[in-house]
Amino acid sequence: MTVANVGEFGLIDRVTARLAQGESVLLGPGDDAAVVAAPDRRVVASTDVLVEGRHFRRDWSGARDVGHRAAAANLADIAAMGATPTALLVALCMPTDLDPAWAEELADGLGAEAALVGASVVGGDMSASPTLTIAVTALGDLAGRAPVVRSGARPGDVVALAGRTGWAAAGYTVLSRGFRTPRLLVEAFRRPEVPYAAGPEAAGLGATAMIDVSDGLLADLGHVAKASGVAVELTREAFEVPRQMRDAAQALGVDLYTWILAGGDDHALAATFPATATLPEGWRPVGRVTEGAGVTVDGAPFAGTAGWDHFRRTE
């Protein structure tokens, strides 16, 4: 069976039947548009796209894994603004010979990841395409808080991290070398573990700037430094290095800090806080904000690529 046999509207019915709707959804899939409650009267919105061969491979990840990744990439952006995600809209472009079960399992992954934060998949679109592509738009609610933007960091602030970095990049390297273990790292690439609650919590406790680490910590903190007109200094010894990552780096001949500092797809949250602030649980200091420009590690520029560039690197 293929999606061409099932047809567009038949596939839509099969997919939407698998998607539960949360309390914030006033009108879900089935009409020209969905209706989602916006108690704050402001809506935080973000969009992201995953392209087969560029962001995922079906021989590396199952459809549910891809669904989790696609949802996480967008939900993390909402959390990084200090908001709570409420809804996802998904556009799916696929080859006509795709098994409809793949699309159904993708929906299961999208819905399960959204459910972690109480959000729902409320609609989207489908089309035929020679390249399998998933585009997701996320909506969120600020609950009366000011958004935490990239331009608020000030000299003297502490740079802190919630979540993990380097795990997904290590998993990518393992898979690209033809291996499937360590499983801990491979699974981190397939399904990121995002500290969603840390975003709104940090906003409520005075974070001055925040960003989702999707392209690499150095690259993303570089955006904060540029937007804020400051410099960021990181310290290697501040980062946790699991044994499996250390062993994999040694076996594969990789500098593990390339994964930790420049690897993407973990969707940790990086934020700056006033020096007098008590860091929320789950956040750990990894550096400081100073006068100047750019990002340094142990007082020197990092020798290597700072992170992912969509127009240079391919999987």
Side-chain angles (χ1 to χ4, degrees):
M1 185 177 291
T2 67
V3 295
N5 300 138
V6 175
E8 177 183 359
F9 298 104
L11 185 58
I12 289 173
D13 289 341
R14 292 171 68 148
V15 166
T16 55
R18 309 171 80 92
L19 299 171
Q21 302 300 305
E23 295 180 0
S24 64
V25 181
L26 305 181
L27 180 65
D31 219 302
D32 290 311
V35 180
V36 180
D40 183 80
R41 300 181 66 184
R42 296 171 295 173
V43 177
V44 181
S46 180
T47 192
D48 209 296
V49 63
L50 270 68
V51 179
E52 185 177 18
R54 184 72 182 180
H55 303 99
F56 69 93
R57 286 172 41 169
R58 277 185 275 170
D59 59 330
W60 286 4
S61 302
R64 285 185 179 85
D65 297 327
V66 177
H68 278 275
R69 285 189 66 198
N74 289 269
L75 297 170
D77 283 333
I78 301 300
M81 299 299 292
T84 300
T86 56
L88 295 177
L89 296 162
V90 182
L92 176 59
C93 302
M94 67 203 112
T96 55
D97 62 354
L98 185 72
D99 188 331
W102 197 94
E104 293 173 349
E105 292 174 13
L106 174 76
D108 290 342
L110 288 161
E113 190 71 23
L116 294 177
V117 292
S120 307
V121 180
V122 299
D125 193 21
M126 291 183 180
S127 178
S129 168
T131 303
L132 182 56
T133 304
I134 305 108
V136 182
T137 296
L139 307 177
D141 184 74
L142 285 163
R145 295 180 294 270
V148 184
V149 295
R150 299 177 181 183
S151 58
R154 296 293 178 264
D157 284 353
V158 173
V159 180
L161 188 70
R164 57 196 192 184
T165 62
W167 292 49
Y172 168 85
T173 303
V174 168
L175 287 166
S176 68
R177 301 284 182 90
F179 301 107
R180 293 294 185 270
T181 57
R183 188 171 180 83
L184 182 73
L185 301 179
V186 170
E187 290 303 318
F189 171 79
R190 289 172 174 160
R191 296 190 187 187
E193 294 184 4
V194 186
Y196 296 116
E201 182 182 40
L205 292 174
T208 55
M210 187 156 48
I211 193 167
D212 160 40
V213 183
S214 57
D215 296 329
L217 184 62
L218 293 174
D220 289 319
L221 283 177
H223 300 318
V224 172
K226 181 178 180 180
S228 300
V230 298
V232 171
E233 298 180 355
L234 299 177
T235 305
R236 273 186 177 83
E237 66 180 16
F239 294 91
E240 299 175 355
V241 182
R243 175 185 55 78
Q244 294 91 334
M245 185 185 295
R246 194 178 299 278
D247 291 346
Q250 183 175 5
L252 298 171
V254 175
D255 177 359
L256 62 87
Y257 285 101
T258 299
W259 291 335
I260 291 171
L261 297 173
D265 287 331
D266 283 301
H267 299 292
L269 299 180
T272 58
F273 294 86
T276 56
T278 300
L279 290 180
E281 184 178 355
W283 288 84
R284 61 185 184 279
V286 294
R288 63 191 184 113
V289 179
T290 64
E291 299 279 357
V295 183
T296 57
V297 181
D298 293 335
F302 184 70
T305 303
W308 170 273
D309 186 323
H310 290 274
F311 294 99
R312 293 180 184 170
R313 179 176 164 190
T314 58
E315 291 195 353

